[in-house]
Amino acid sequence: YDDSWSAVTGTAGVQWDPDSSTMAYARYSRGYKAFGFSAGGFLAVPKAKEETVNSYEVGVKKNFGSNIQLNLSAFYLDYRDLQAPVTVRVGATNVTQFVNIAKSESLGLEVSGIWQPIRNVRLTLDYGYNPTKIKKSSLLVDVNDNINTGAISVVGNDLPQAPEHKLALNGSYTFEMDPGSLTLSATYL
């Protein structure tokens, strides 16, 4: 339990502003997450190795007048040793354990629109398409379908806790007062 890890991370990008209402960009980032540890579960292997990701993104933001903005981006995330939470049975209890998935990816699009019809009202609509895939893993899942008992590979499956489609709607109203402002907001996901 006295292990330690470190890594060099960073971001490099370019931005182009062809006019005052348009911005296009391309960005590369290298990400790192230290080892994962499941404490208190009496697991045979309580920790997962560190996780790294290479992230590539391109996008454009465009303002239409002073009250509408549209954003579009495409991304590719290339994971190595992704730390995935899985539930395992230890005695009479279920415990979350982090396991490494050797290689996985996320390739998607995000579209968002912001409309501010009057100064105090802001409405947003966000849509994300994010198909994910486990490309390489030694992780096996126990299967019991009352006919066969065994284990199957998770290669080809989607990543856990990563919905393929995501839609978010938000509306907010800001009350401006002498001591400051108060914003009320409602969101639907």
Side-chain angles (χ1 to χ4, degrees):
Y1 303 115
D2 61 351
D3 288 342
S4 64
W5 284 273
S6 64
V8 175
T9 64
T11 299
V14 294
Q15 178 176 319
W16 178 48
D17 300 314
D19 58 56
S20 63
S21 64
T22 308
M23 187 265 289
Y25 66 93
R27 181 173 41 225
Y28 164 78
S29 298
R30 172 76 172 177
Y32 168 81
K33 183 192 278 185
F35 69 96
F37 183 70
S38 301
F42 303 106
L43 298 167
V45 182
K47 68 181 177 183
K49 297 187 301 185
E50 70 272 11
E51 165 189 320
T52 59
V53 63
N54 290 306
S55 171
Y56 307 88
E57 181 179 3
V58 294
V60 65
K61 297 176 181 286
K62 176 75 175 169
N63 291 328
F64 297 91
S66 62
N67 62 350
I68 295 177
Q69 183 182 78
L70 294 178
N71 306 314
L72 175 66
S73 65
F75 60 89
Y76 174 70
L77 304 174
D78 180 22
Y79 291 99
R80 297 289 189 268
D81 292 319
L82 175 79
Q83 295 173 16
V86 296
T87 302
V88 295
R89 191 91 170 145
V90 177
T93 51
N94 291 329
V95 177
T96 299
Q97 177 179 7
F98 291 97
V99 298
N100 291 103
I101 296 174
K103 180 170 173 39
S104 56
E105 67 182 17
S106 174
L107 174 67
L109 296 169
E110 293 179 347
V111 179
S112 72
I114 303 167
W115 179 39
Q116 193 163 3
I118 59 173
R119 182 171 185 224
N120 297 47
V121 174
R122 181 180 169 111
L123 304 169
T124 62
L125 170 67
D126 297 301
Y127 171 74
Y129 175 65
N130 183 20
T132 62
K133 190 71 63 188
I134 296 173
K135 303 296 276 184
K136 180 180 178 186
S137 179
S138 59
L139 180 65
L140 299 175
V141 176
D142 288 330
V143 176
N144 184 354
D145 60 7
N146 297 325
I147 298 171
N148 288 328
T149 300
I152 59 171
S153 171
V154 297
V155 172
N157 287 356
D158 297 335
L159 290 175
Q161 301 176 356
E164 186 172 357
H165 299 277
K166 183 177 177 183
L167 180 68
L169 304 168
N170 177 267
S172 64
Y173 186 87
T174 301
F175 296 92
E176 295 181 17
M177 302 170 282
D178 286 336
S181 61
L182 171 67
T183 302
L184 299 179
S185 176
T187 301
Y188 173 79
L189 294 174

